[in-house]
Amino acid sequence: MTLELPYTTGVSRDGRPVTGQVDFSQVPRFAGPGTFAGLPSLAEVGEAQAGVIGIPFDSGVTFRPGARFGPEGIRGASHLIRPYNVELDSFPFAAHQVADVGNLAVTPFGVDRAVEAMLTGLAAARERAGKLVLLGGDHTIAYPSIKTLARHHGPISVLHFDAHIDTFGTYFGAAMHHGTPFRRASEEGLLDPEGCMHVGIRGPLYGPQDLSEDRALGFQTVHSSEFSTTGLEGILEQMLRRLDGRPVYVSVDIDVLDPAFAPGTGTPEPGGLTSRELLYLIRGLAPLNIVGADVVEVAPAYDHADVTSLAAAHVAYEFLSLWGR
Ligand code: MN
Ligand code: MN
């Protein structure tokens, strides 16, 4: 036997050779390289048009820690992913080069220093790997991600799936934590106030001012309860209306899912979306210009049978599939 892994190969839609997933007809799915979906690493292919990058950082959490193991959990749950996305009629790993960029190694001791390192690391990764799906990590990582994108695109729209608004203020004197990335981004003018949206919001707040302050920042909110009244199609229409024609960053806090579908997370809230609803809505974003995405707050230690990591792996796959259409 050879120690070289056999990768599938093909030709991209613009005529370039592409290295795809490990050939799972020759390598058992549990014996592959451990990268996302068995994709080649960025080091192996040199450059890519799209990629996943792990940010194992959870020093910004306000409750249960553990999302630093999210990238490892999501990659581990991604090895059953096959190359053809039926609903989107997309071969994401053949249409263009996709790579696993690996992890950004940032300090767990000091949120501000870690965020600085993420800004540098993400800018370098985007140079070589194109459009990125970030695997969190806690939700703090959305702030440096948006900031690096806003340098290219100007103020961008954020479509934010979460149980929580994440535009809260300081906590224990800290201005940067996982409950506030969108407030900080908004204060710095990185967000398009005409084109931001939360989806899946629920659970108790400190008072109605939390929502009115959030509206003042420019966020429109689809509450989780509206899935019972407006329904999935109506909500998708509302999203497309608000975001059409703008550069959009999609941020998915896995706690947008009901704890039945995502128990492995730090701040679970009952009454959330099903995995099916979330994946359906992401596929429905096909008409939009998505410039970056993340899936955050997966904390495998609280998970059962990998359900949370599996959901997150498929969220990442849907973004790669949208970019590969
Ligand atoms: Mn949340
Ligand atoms: Mn969040």
Side-chain angles (χ1 to χ4, degrees):
M1 72 172 281
T2 164
L3 292 175
E4 292 277 302
L5 280 170
Y7 282 99
T8 55
T9 55
V11 179
S12 71
R13 33 178 195 210
D14 58 358
R16 289 190 277 186
V18 168
T19 305
Q21 292 174 284
V22 161
D23 184 350
F24 287 125
S25 70
Q26 297 187 58
V27 178
R29 293 182 171 276
F30 45 84
T35 53
F36 183 83
L39 288 166
S41 67
L42 185 63
E44 285 171 303
V45 293
E47 61 177 28
Q49 278 73 58
V52 298
I53 183 168
I55 306 192
F57 170 85
D58 66 3
S59 305
V61 302
T62 55
F63 200 53
R64 303 194 298 200
R68 65 181 61 182
F69 296 105
E72 193 179 315
I74 297 168
R75 286 194 181 94
S78 70
H79 297 139
L80 208 50
I81 288 175
R82 298 186 189 86
Y84 179 52
N85 187 318
V86 177
E87 284 83 358
L88 289 171
D89 189 23
S90 168
F91 283 97
F93 310 137
H96 55 185
Q97 183 63 58
V98 185
D100 189 328
V101 181
N103 288 335
L104 280 186
V106 297
T107 177
F109 304 113
V111 176
D112 293 340
R113 277 190 300 137
V115 166
E116 280 305 313
M118 290 179 216
L119 286 168
T120 312
L122 287 171
R126 289 204 165 97
E127 288 280 304
R128 277 181 60 197
K131 288 184 180 177
L132 295 178
V133 184
L134 279 57
L135 311 177
D138 75 47
H139 221 150
T140 310
I141 72 171
Y143 165 78
S145 186
I146 288 166
K147 192 162 179 166
T148 55
L149 286 166
R151 281 176 186 154
H152 283 275
H153 299 281
I156 58 175
S157 293
V158 168
L159 173 59
H160 171 219
F161 291 94
D162 203 322
H164 313 96
I165 51 178
D166 289 0
T167 54
F168 294 104
T170 56
Y171 194 54
F172 284 82
M176 185 63 73
H177 55 79
H178 77 155
T180 192
F182 304 112
R183 175 182 287 254
R184 297 283 97 85
S186 170
E187 286 169 350
E188 290 184 31
L190 309 176
L191 303 188
D192 175 357
E194 301 297 310
C196 289
M197 205 166 175
H198 305 295
V199 179
I201 302 302
R202 61 192 187 274
L205 294 169
Y206 294 101
Q209 75 279 3
D210 287 340
L211 291 174
S212 54
E213 285 178 23
D214 181 75
R215 268 196 299 276
L217 297 177
F219 276 91
Q220 203 178 74
T221 294
V222 175
H223 294 268
S224 194
S225 56
E226 293 173 55
F227 282 75
S228 308
T229 51
T230 308
L232 208 50
E233 285 302 331
I235 288 167
L236 180 58
E237 270 172 41
Q238 201 178 327
M239 285 162 42
L240 295 178
R241 251 200 321 275
R242 179 128 175 115
L243 301 166
D244 189 38
R246 304 166 189 273
V248 181
Y249 183 76
V250 188
S251 188
V252 179
D253 184 329
I254 206 65
D255 73 25
V256 74
L257 298 179
D258 191 87
F261 298 89
T265 194
T267 50
E269 300 277 355
L273 278 61
T274 65
S275 309
R276 185 175 60 197
E277 287 167 336
L278 176 61
L279 295 175
Y280 181 85
L281 288 177
I282 294 173
R283 287 180 206 124
L285 304 177
L288 299 180
N289 174 23
I290 299 172
V291 295
D294 65 48
V295 54
V296 298
E297 300 285 351
V298 173
Y302 314 106
D303 210 359
H304 301 289
D306 297 336
V307 288
T308 313
S309 292
L310 281 163
H314 280 261
V315 165
Y317 177 64
E318 294 300 339
F319 286 119
L320 297 173
S321 300
L322 287 172
W323 289 333
R325 284 172 76 245

